[in-house]
Amino acid sequence: MFDVLVIGAGHAGVEAAAAAAQRGAKTGLLSFSKANAGQMSCNPSIGGVGKGHLVRELDVFEGLLAKTSDQAAIHYRMLNRSKGPAVQGPRIQADRSLFQTATQAALQQLPIEWLIDEALELDIEGDTVVGVITGTGSRIAARSVVVATGTFLGGKIFRGHDRVEGGRVEEKAATRLGEQFADLGLAHGRLKTGTPPRLDGRTIDWASLTPQPTDGQNWRFSAFSRSARRPQLDCAITRTNPRTHEVIGNHADRSPLYAGSIDGRGPRYCPSIEDKVKRFSDREGHQIFLEPEGLTTRLVYPAGISTSLPLDAQQEMMATIRGLESVEIVQPGYAVEYVFADPRRLDSRLCLKDIDGLFMAGQINGTTGYEEAAAQGLVAGINAAAHAAGKDPTLFGRQTSYIGVMIDDLIVHGVNEPYRMMTARAEYRLHLRADNAIARLGVQAKASGVSAAHATAIDRYMERKAAYMTSFEEKVDAKELGLQGGQKSLKEWISRPEAVTAVRDRFGDDDAAAEAISDILYAPYLERQEREWNTMQKDASITVPADFDYTAVAGLSTEMIERISAVRPDNLDQASRIPGITPAALSALHFALSRRDAA
């Protein structure tokens, strides 16, 4: 009898199993293959704006993703570095092989029992899951089950007119389990994702392309490890052009997307190149990032050009792009369509409301991306272990974490397209910075059952930060900072824009000092944001003019403008109930209406 049985060893399953085992649960991990654990099925990168915040939050709860990313990173880049810390996004390119090795090594250190088999059916008695029935006929008993099947549940692979069952190239799908989900009424629909062709880097004309070097700053994803940096590789940038788009149009009848073979909706923020050309026909080109897949491999990942066209069309398309005129395709791109469940049937623990003990995490809940999957796996794993032991759950609030924002979005609004985390989804994003995850979540992480060593590391970090906050009260002469103006406390100096860089330089690459500085810089804005949010709660009856221009509202994404414009609500209360509208969008709309009324 397992306390927690996890189905699937992708990013969600790995984090779920690790979180459960770390908290003392007897944990089983059921997968087609142990060797594929930690595989990066699509892009060889981790993090980004919003996504990097999730990775940092995982790290606080002793998740694996931050540390394994650092162990495999061959390119570091802090996105939005020219903007404030709240919207900066840590991102790395990983060596695929090193990332997979680091993940499997981390799992090996935990008391997790591997079960190499197929999950044919959930074993359900009444309204309670009691285990899993496998392909070999075994009945595995469990107090909690976490389904983390990724794109494998009813998965189908498309390339041109060819289609086969599978969740990843040359790997079979979880077909029988997908059929049971349909029989139980859990299958809500189908979604689509895709991947670009893998290129032979030796056949790319790198000299003709714009290089994108790694960051010189010595930052890491994990605050709890300082592994030495691997050798760093540059990426490069190129673009499609009208000739590329013409080739795609010429082969439109061979695209499963255009032909209607794929029913599932793909990700809005990471569309295939066929989608981009069709939806943005006015654009002359789309950016492509050429990302090396490792230190010892020739493979290169062309981010931004995922496709399901047939191989000859992919080759013809690539030949039109600068730097890729003579490129060789090692593995063609393809699309994957898979079954997902309605996340609105889950509670905040990611447990089904009508089947006790059944948790779900990752793409099965309608999300896209390694980071979103891993964060859900952490939530499901922690709470599946708590459920099995009869302990209180660990719940994530949207005021304190991006994990909480994602969970709340999923279980309240549901999805009709693959969900991707972005900072624009969080109404408290000034507080939810990537650099202050420990301060926000450290106490909760310790209460969730992290190891004693990890709890001590959290305490030591917070002690360092507190010491810096105290030291910032001390007077410092302007000359020490290369400035003029007599003596002021560092806290006072930080409030002056011309002094911020000098104060940062004084403390170098110290994470705790940088976080303390950001706290001081953001303090007045956070106070104002809190007041605005409290006022907004009282002003839900504010009317919205029939001719109100939503495109003029600062902070509203294109998606939110589309959703609100389609309904044209009479007031903020109606706006708050529009499916898919985020609290952040509601806050932006409220602020715009308030400014209009005050004018």
Side-chain angles (χ1 to χ4, degrees), residues 167-181:
R168 192 160 48 207
V169 68
E170 298 181 353
E171 293 186 50
K172 65 179 182 179
T175 304
R176 285 278 299 276
L177 187 61
E179 292 170 352
Q180 185 191 26
F181 264 65

Side-chain angles (χ1 to χ4, degrees), residues 329-465:
I329 293 176
V330 179
Q331 177 184 297
Y334 60 91
V336 183
E337 189 186 58
Y338 55 94
V339 170
F340 80 104
D342 187 352
R344 292 173 297 183
R345 297 180 65 174
L346 303 172
D347 62 23
S348 297
R349 302 171 300 158
L350 293 184
C351 183
L352 272 166
K353 297 173 183 176
D354 46 3
I355 302 180
D356 191 43
L358 182 57
F359 296 75
M360 297 197 295
Q363 286 177 283
I364 192 172
N365 291 336
T367 61
T368 183
Y370 305 146
E371 304 84 357
E372 291 87 347
Q376 290 174 74
L378 178 88
V379 175
I382 291 174
N383 286 300
H387 175 270
K391 296 180 179 179
D392 291 337
T394 296
L395 305 180
F396 292 78
R398 62 183 307 127
Q399 294 185 20
T400 57
S401 67
Y402 272 91
I403 294 177
V405 171
M406 176 177 62
I407 300 300
D408 188 63
D409 283 349
L410 291 174
I411 68 175
V412 172
H413 300 301
V415 298
N416 56 15
E417 62 187 34
Y419 177 99
R420 177 180 180 176
M421 177 49 66
M422 300 175 292
T423 54
R425 297 190 186 276
E427 64 275 31
Y428 289 100
R429 57 185 173 272
L430 292 183
H431 173 54
L432 306 181
R433 307 191 312 264
D435 68 352
N436 69 352
I438 298 174
R440 291 187 280 112
L441 299 168
V443 172
Q444 185 181 18
K446 291 194 294 181
S448 78
V450 297
S451 67
H454 192 74
T456 298
I458 290 173
D459 289 339
R460 287 176 177 168
Y461 182 90
M462 292 309 299
E463 288 167 2
R464 282 173 51 219
K465 181 186 172 183

Side-chain angles (χ1 to χ4, degrees), residues 42-44 96 195-198 289-293 299-303:
C42 193
N43 57 313
R96 288 186 187 275
T195 189
R198 306 307 197 268
F289 292 91
L290 298 174
E291 303 170 343
E293 295 204 351
L299 295 182
V300 171
Y301 182 94

